[in-house]
């Protein structure tokens, strides 16, 4: 015996605005970590990476920005986010202390393949973090991504949207 | 069990009077198997025969009475010793004496109240059964016949839709709508998700049906969550103004009606969980309770009968008799 056939017609919804449908999406956020450069000589050498951001999210003050950061800056950002926010912060690529030991056959932490590996992992880390709605509220993230330099003596705070 | 091997014993068999015609329903047992049992509804009479068959014909069976009970009980798995009987009816079939030959005893429990639906869950079981017992001095002989009871409801008078706007400030705003708040077990959930603001990168969206069984009271409350269904409703990134339809057929899933505080011992509630997953595998979800109820076939049977009467009234006698077949009920 057949049951009464249920009404499965779609619920009514407003037709979509053409601009909304075909315009740029509101969630555009692209972060690249590239152009590694080793600065300095001898024991005090270190590598910096270009961190480039392109976005249309209103929470970012600059819609395009480019800064240079080194590995310890990433470590600082991760520690700040862990302490200040409720975000479960993804891990960074390793410190590779063993690569800093003397008498290695290769260039240690300035080895091209190592830098490339690290660059990829740092890019992955930033993309994961910058897209997190809670991390986007943290001053430290914005300072890391868009300020000329990282001021480690800053006062942690949350971003308030106008 | 009988001493010295040659004591008289008997086999008991309980047979319902309407065993031929009564429908059977599938019901899960505690170890996960599915068996079929006779299906009863509240108020129906339970009647039949108890057949006592002597093991050794010719020998007498002495007994302290033969009776049959109709029992409805709740068993909490963490408190197995205590069965809570909410229905307990007894009929005496024979006074203490002896049986010289195998015998059948008639019984009838008239219009028995069966207030709750049979339920086998993770931490609790509610069951109905007949138990025939031949009492003896040293050891009783008994036999149980499990029955299954379904509770039926009629179409709810009030069945408002669920419509709500939820989100994360400045990141994600959606409005979800489900066409009803009360669904019967063969119903269809028709709904939509309307995106008001999308500043995160969504990868896909699904709707889950979650069953939560709650047992115990006070400090000893146990919740068991079980995801009955996961149904993807969107694959890809939506933008503002987009509307995603939902059409989820419930008949394909094994579910029970919602049960609220059954005999103050347990509850079974159902929730729709809307889950959005972004490109970094972060999950955003909104849970909403729905009420499930069981629709009866009984209503339709009586309507078919009315249809027969109506058609006989208006048809001329030269027409062949038409049996009403797939008669569609009008939505009132």
């Amino acid at each position: 015996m057949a049951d009464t056939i249920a009404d499965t017609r779609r619920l009514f919804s407003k037709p979509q605005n053409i601009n909304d449908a075909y315009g740029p999406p509101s969630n555009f956020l692209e972060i690249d970590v590239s152009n590694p450069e080793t600065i300095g000589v001898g024991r005090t050498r270190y590598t910096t990476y270009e961190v480039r951001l392109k976005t249309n999210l209103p929470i970012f003050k600059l819609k395009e920005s480019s800064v240079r950061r080194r590995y310890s800056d990433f470590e600082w950002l991760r520690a700040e986010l862990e302490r200040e926010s409720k975000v479960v912060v993804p891990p960074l690529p390793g410190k590779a202390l063993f690569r800093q030991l003397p008498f290695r056959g290769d260039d240690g932490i300035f080895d091209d393949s190592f830098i490339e590996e690290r660059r990829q992992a740092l890019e992955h880390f930033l993309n994961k973090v910058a897209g997190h709605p809670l991390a986007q509220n943290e001053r430290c993230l914005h300072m890391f991504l868009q300020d000329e330099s990282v001021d480690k003596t800053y006062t942690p705070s949350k971003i308030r949207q106008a | 069990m009988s001493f010295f091997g040659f004591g008289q014993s008997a086999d008991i068999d309980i047979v319902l009077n309407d065993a031929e015609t009564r429908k059977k329903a599938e019901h899960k047992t505690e170890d996960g198997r599915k068996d079929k049992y006779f299906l009863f509804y509240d108020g129906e009479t339970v009647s039949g025969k108890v057949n006592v068959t002597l093991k050794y014909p010719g020998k007498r069976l002495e007994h302290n009475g033969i009776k049959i009970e109709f029992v409805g009980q709740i068993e909490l798995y963490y408190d197995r010793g205590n069965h809570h009987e909410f229905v307990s009816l007894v009929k005496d079939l024979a006074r203490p004496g002896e049986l010289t030959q195998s015998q059948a005893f008639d019984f009838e429990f008239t219009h028995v109240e069966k207030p709750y639906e049979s339920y086998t869950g993770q931490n609790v079981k509610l069951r109905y059964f007949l138990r025939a017992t031949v009492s003896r001095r040293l050891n009783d002989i008994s036999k149980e016949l499990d029955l299954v009871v379904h509770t039926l409801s009629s179409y709810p008078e009030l069945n408002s839709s669920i419509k709500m706007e939820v989100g994360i400030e400045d990141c994600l705003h959606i409005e979800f709508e489900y066409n009803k708040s009360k669904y019967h077990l063969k119903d269809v959930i028709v709904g939509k998700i309307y995106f008001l603001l999308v500043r995160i990168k969504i990868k896909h969206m699904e709707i889950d049906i979650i069953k939560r069984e709650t047992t115990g009271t006070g400090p000893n409350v146990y919740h068991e969550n079980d995801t009955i269904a996961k149904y993807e409703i969107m694959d890809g990134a939506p933008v503002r103004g987009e509307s995603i339809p939902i059409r989820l057929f419930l008949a394909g899933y094994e579910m029970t009606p919602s049960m609220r505080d059954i005999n103050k011992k347990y509850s079974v509630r159902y929730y729709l969980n809307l889950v959005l997953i972004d490109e970094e595998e972060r999950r955003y979800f909104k849970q909403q309770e729905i009420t499930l109820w069981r629709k009866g076939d009984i209503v339709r049977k009586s309507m078919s009968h009315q249809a027969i009467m109506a058609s006989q009234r208006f048809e001329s006698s030269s027409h062949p008799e038409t049996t009403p077949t797939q008669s569609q009920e009008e939505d009132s």
Side-chain angles (χ1 to χ4, degrees):
Chain A
M1 283 249 194
D3 270 303
T4 314
I5 294 177
D7 185 358
T8 58
R9 288 173 301 178
R10 288 190 183 184
L11 298 181
F12 170 77
S13 39
K14 290 195 293 268
Q16 193 180 21
N17 184 308
I18 291 285
N19 283 332
D20 286 339
Y22 294 104
S26 316
N27 60 2
F28 178 64
L29 175 64
E30 255 177 32
I31 297 183
D32 295 309
V33 175
S34 57
N35 295 335
E37 264 175 29
T38 304
I39 304 186
V41 286
R43 289 269 194 84
T44 59
R45 276 182 303 169
Y46 62 93
T47 308
T48 63
Y49 304 84
E50 181 185 346
V51 175
R52 206 179 37 229
L53 182 146
K54 289 206 186 98
T55 187
N56 67 359
L57 297 181
I59 198 156
F60 288 101
K61 218 161 52 174
L62 302 173
K63 299 309 164 219
E64 274 191 39
S65 66
S66 173
V67 296
R68 292 210 73 95
R69 297 283 180 256
R70 57 184 293 188
Y71 181 82
S72 56
D73 292 329
F74 284 82
E75 282 184 309
W76 171 87
L77 174 64
R78 186 174 192 280
E80 289 300 298
L81 285 174
E82 273 220 318
R83 198 189 63 240
E84 293 297 317
S85 78
K86 296 203 181 76
V87 176
V88 173
V89 192
L92 280 172
K95 268 179 92 69
L97 287 168
F98 60 94
R99 279 186 173 261
Q100 295 180 46
L101 295 171
F103 308 123
R104 289 182 61 96
D106 58 20
D107 290 326
I109 55 170
F110 302 107
D111 190 63
D112 283 339
S113 64
F114 170 72
I115 287 182
E116 173 57 22
E117 242 180 64
R118 189 176 256 198
R119 180 204 70 75
Q120 281 178 15
L122 292 176
E123 187 173 83
H124 181 80
F125 168 83
L126 274 188
N127 275 296
K128 199 150 184 143
V129 161
H132 195 303
L134 289 180
Q136 284 172 1
N137 285 336
E138 295 297 330
R139 178 86 195 91
C140 57
L141 178 70
H142 292 268
M143 183 162 72
F144 178 94
L145 289 172
Q146 307 208 302
D147 284 7
E148 178 79 34
S149 58
V150 171
D151 175 11
K152 301 199 172 139
T153 65
Y154 86 123
T155 315
S157 61
K158 304 269 188 277
I159 305 281
R160 293 253 166 279
Q161 285 256 72
Chain B
M1 187 192 90
S2 57
F3 293 107
F4 304 119
F6 288 110
Q8 178 59 290
S9 187
D11 285 324
I12 307 180
D13 197 27
I14 306 173
V15 180
L16 298 177
N17 284 341
D18 51 11
E20 300 285 300
T21 52
R22 184 165 287 280
K23 270 209 180 112
K24 282 191 162 183
E26 263 189 19
H27 193 78
K28 207 168 44 139
T29 60
E30 220 179 297
D31 45 9
R33 264 189 3 249
K34 289 222 283 204
D35 278 332
K36 286 190 153 188
Y37 303 94
F38 285 110
L39 176 62
F40 281 87
Y41 299 102
D42 189 15
E44 281 192 304
T45 293
V46 185
S47 65
K49 289 186 184 352
V50 176
N51 296 321
V52 182
T53 314
L54 300 181
K55 267 225 174 85
Y56 307 104
K59 288 192 83 164
R60 293 188 327 246
L61 177 73
E62 284 180 19
H63 66 85
N64 278 341
I66 306 181
K67 67 177 184 208
I68 183 156
E69 300 167 272
F70 178 88
V71 179
Q73 76 181 27
I74 297 174
E75 188 183 309
L76 293 158
Y77 296 173
Y78 57 81
D79 189 19
R80 292 275 191 180
N82 290 326
H83 292 173
H84 180 80
E85 291 183 359
F86 56 89
V87 171
S88 180
L89 306 170
V90 183
K91 292 257 189 271
D92 284 315
L93 300 176
R95 280 201 311 261
E98 60 184 38
L99 290 180
T100 48
Q101 56 185 16
S102 302
Q103 206 170 331
F105 301 89
D106 288 301
F107 69 88
E108 177 173 302
F109 294 102
T110 324
H111 299 314
V112 188
E113 206 187 302
K114 306 174 203 72
Y116 310 119
E117 173 149 327
S118 296
Y119 176 69
T120 303
Q122 304 257 60
N123 282 327
V124 63
K125 184 160 76 165
L126 185 151
R127 58 183 265 239
Y128 294 85
F129 57 93
L130 288 162
R131 178 170 53 211
T133 310
V134 175
S135 301
R136 298 200 296 176
R137 194 167 53 89
L138 287 171
N139 56 300
D140 296 343
I141 313 169
S142 76
K143 183 76 187 284
E144 284 181 5
L145 176 68
D146 271 283
L147 308 170
V148 153
V149 171
H150 283 173
T151 51
L152 301 178
S153 304
S154 42
Y155 272 96
E157 268 170 44
L158 207 62
N159 201 351
S160 50
S161 64
I162 302 173
K163 191 169 181 172
M164 224 180 272
E165 197 181 305
V166 293
I168 300 173
E169 186 88 24
D170 299 319
C171 281
L172 174 69
H173 290 178
I174 60 167
E175 184 190 76
F176 70 87
E177 185 180 344
Y178 305 129
N179 62 332
K180 302 179 194 174
S181 36
K182 303 176 189 164
Y183 292 95
H184 63 81
L185 297 179
K186 306 253 188 300
D187 215 334
V188 187
I189 298 178
V190 176
K192 72 179 211 288
I193 310 294
Y194 181 76
F195 287 90
L196 294 153
L197 179 72
V198 189
R199 293 212 180 113
I200 55 172
K201 295 181 186 169
I202 298 173
K203 198 166 60 161
H204 68 263
M205 178 165 66
E206 67 183 40
I207 193 160
D208 302 342
I209 304 179
I210 298 180
K211 169 183 160 192
R212 179 172 306 154
E213 178 193 287
T214 305
T215 47
T217 51
N220 304 319
V221 174
Y222 298 92
H223 294 295
E224 290 284 349
N225 288 336
D226 189 22
T227 303
I228 305 267
K230 269 180 193 269
Y231 191 69
E232 186 177 86
I233 54 174
M234 177 187 83
D235 183 20
V239 292
R240 176 174 54 213
E242 217 153 347
S243 204
I244 303 298
I246 299 171
R247 191 186 293 143
L248 182 52
F249 289 84
L250 296 179
Y253 303 105
E254 267 179 40
M255 299 188 296
T256 67
S258 292
M259 301 174 185
R260 297 241 158 73
D261 211 23
I262 300 297
N263 215 237
K264 301 209 196 325
K265 297 257 180 294
Y266 68 92
S267 295
V268 178
R269 303 169 96 116
Y270 290 87
Y271 301 84
L272 287 181
N273 199 24
L274 181 71
V275 187
L276 291 95
I277 297 126
D278 75 13
E279 298 219 332
E280 302 294 343
E281 304 299 325
R282 286 181 284 257
R283 301 164 72 89
Y284 309 77
F285 62 89
K286 174 73 184 122
Q287 213 173 78
Q288 190 63 41
E289 184 173 4
I290 53 168
T291 303
L292 296 183
W293 56 281
R294 189 182 289 280
K295 191 156 74 103
D297 293 337
I298 294 177
V299 174
R300 263 189 292 108
K301 258 201 252 163
S302 68
M303 280 206 64
S304 298
H305 178 70
Q306 283 171 30
I308 296 174
M309 304 293 276
S311 69
Q312 283 176 345
R313 226 178 291 136
F314 291 117
E315 276 172 354
S316 67
S317 51
S318 59
H319 276 265
E321 172 149 285
T322 46
T323 353
T325 50
Q326 321 292 320
S327 51
Q328 307 288 353
E329 279 176 284
E330 301 271 353
D331 262 356
S332 43

